[in-house]
Amino acid sequence: MLVIMRKDSTTEECERVADVIRQMGFTPLPVPGADRTAICVTGNHGPVDPSYLSQLPGVVECIPVTKPYKLVSREVHPEDTVIDLSGLSAVKLGGRDPVFIAGPCSVETEARTLEVARQVKEAGAHLFRGGAYKPRTSPYAFQGLGDEGLLTLARVREEIGLPVVSEVVDTESVTAVAEVVDVLQVGARNMQNFSLLKKLGDLRKPVLLKRGLAATLDEWLMAAEYLLARGNHQVILCERGVRTFNNHSRNTLDLNVVPLVRRISHLPVVVDPSHGVGKRDRVRPLARAALAAGAHGLIMEVHSHPESSYSDAEQTIDVPTFRGIVRDAAVLSGLEPLFER
Ligand code: PEP
Ligand code: MN
């Protein structure tokens, strides 16, 4: 249940409501919002009786929440969440302008990584991506450069001036990765690694949460709820394709989830057409489609020499193709907006 407070309610009134929620055996969680003050009741296993709470001073109304997730839903937080990456650049993710995240699958040698970063920045990237720690299907595949890769990402931030997104694969490496990166990526294989989600929920840094390999929309949103429930509201959802019977592509990019997520949740959603299709010749068409469907941005594997990528070479596009996608987005921005909030 959501307790909506009067706009001019006092701190004492809000604290009183929180105390009563605690006395009822539940946990109160304040929901930040521009237009109203709200307190979410969590920890209940069934409907909460609103009769006492709704009479407390400062309370406007008590709204039952019908979904299994609360803090990620628009019922609780009606306005879009916009994530401000202004620490390094004036990038806002979740607003009208699409955000481009580009770079190699894995961080490679320092010289090559800086070269790619320089080129994608010049082509229109707002953030740089690259895994220092890689979750690989085969134990014999390249596992990433680890801490050495993090040092290279730090140089990308400092010398090229691009904020960086990189994956955190386990709870042990959270601190090291969080020290360097601007956005922590949770990979598809870790979407339901709840101890990792809890640890990231305790940070106050943006998290890009990839949809699991075969996760339903509810499972994905519940994973995001883990982060918000611990106070980290800077969550970016990322659709990256799911496993289906199709054998013509690595995954099936589920673009029909994009407008649905935008209706149900206030969180920004980006699409990863690279992992979604797995073949470089189809990345640009799907990138266009994702933006047309309402994605707030794209995360893509881009390289100065795609064929020599340390990982995911087949799906990695070259810089001219990336530049073409940025141009496509400029054309698409002339479309009537799908979501008016
Ligand atoms: C990646 O971004 O390189 C990656 C491993 O992605 P996913 O978790 O979506 O497979
Ligand atoms: Mn990859």
Side-chain angles (χ1 to χ4, degrees), residues 229-242:
R230 294 179 81 101
N232 192 349
H233 294 258
Q234 295 180 278
V235 176
I236 303 154
L237 298 167
C238 175
E239 160 60 32
R240 48 77 73 202
V242 287

Side-chain angles (χ1 to χ4, degrees), residues 261-330:
V261 161
R262 290 206 52 180
R263 193 173 79 213
I264 297 174
S265 176
H266 52 89
L267 296 174
V269 55
V270 302
V271 168
D272 174 350
S274 310
H275 293 85
V277 64
K279 297 278 179 237
R280 73 170 66 95
D281 62 318
R282 277 172 267 159
V283 169
R284 188 171 177 187
L286 286 171
R288 285 185 184 184
L291 292 174
H296 290 105
L298 299 169
I299 178 166
M300 289 171 293
E301 291 182 338
V302 186
H303 200 291
S304 53
H305 300 79
E307 302 76 15
S308 67
S309 302
Y310 284 12
S311 54
D312 284 349
E314 270 189 84
Q315 67 194 34
T316 300
I317 57 172
D318 59 16
V319 178
T321 306
F322 172 59
R323 198 177 284 116
I325 292 169
V326 175
R327 278 200 307 271
D328 293 341

Side-chain angles (χ1 to χ4, degrees), residues 52-224:
Y52 185 57
L53 278 169
S54 56
Q55 288 172 39
L56 291 175
V59 174
V60 178
E61 60 176 332
C62 292
I63 306 174
V65 178
T66 53
K67 300 278 190 319
Y69 32 81
K70 300 180 185 209
L71 301 174
V72 303
S73 85
R74 277 207 195 269
E75 289 182 62
V76 168
H77 188 290
E79 64 275 6
D80 284 344
T81 287
V82 178
I83 298 180
D84 197 349
L85 292 168
S86 52
L88 197 59
S89 59
V91 182
K92 283 192 194 316
L93 179 53
R96 283 288 295 275
D97 297 329
V99 167
F100 300 105
I101 309 170
C105 177
S106 307
V107 176
E108 304 187 359
T109 62
E110 194 169 86
R112 184 46 62 82
T113 305
L114 289 170
E115 171 186 280
V116 177
R118 205 168 286 117
Q119 291 186 13
V120 296
K121 183 179 184 194
E122 181 274 322
H126 303 101
L127 287 98
F128 183 77
R129 65 142 292 149
Y133 294 93
K134 296 300 301 176
R136 303 306 303 280
T137 303
S138 163
Y140 307 117
F142 173 62
Q143 303 285 312
L145 294 175
D147 292 347
E148 194 189 325
L150 289 180
L151 291 175
T152 300
L153 288 174
R155 283 199 66 188
V156 167
R157 283 189 93 252
E158 279 155 35
E159 289 175 31
I160 314 293
L162 276 180
V164 300
V165 182
S166 196
E167 180 159 353
V168 54
V169 290
D170 50 32
T171 50
E172 292 76 26
S173 52
V174 168
T175 311
V177 178
E179 257 169 38
V180 172
V181 310
D182 299 273
V183 179
L184 293 129
Q185 174 174 322
V186 175
R189 290 154 192 81
N190 262 327
M191 187 202 81
Q192 284 185 317
N193 180 338
F194 299 118
S195 43
L196 180 61
L197 295 176
K198 285 180 189 169
K199 193 141 189 200
L200 296 174
D202 291 337
L203 300 183
R204 296 295 172 265
K205 236 184 189 194
V207 173
L208 183 139
L209 178 66
K210 288 198 155 194
R211 181 178 176 187
L213 304 174
T216 63
L217 174 56
D218 278 0
E219 288 164 346
W220 187 22
L221 292 175
M222 292 297 272

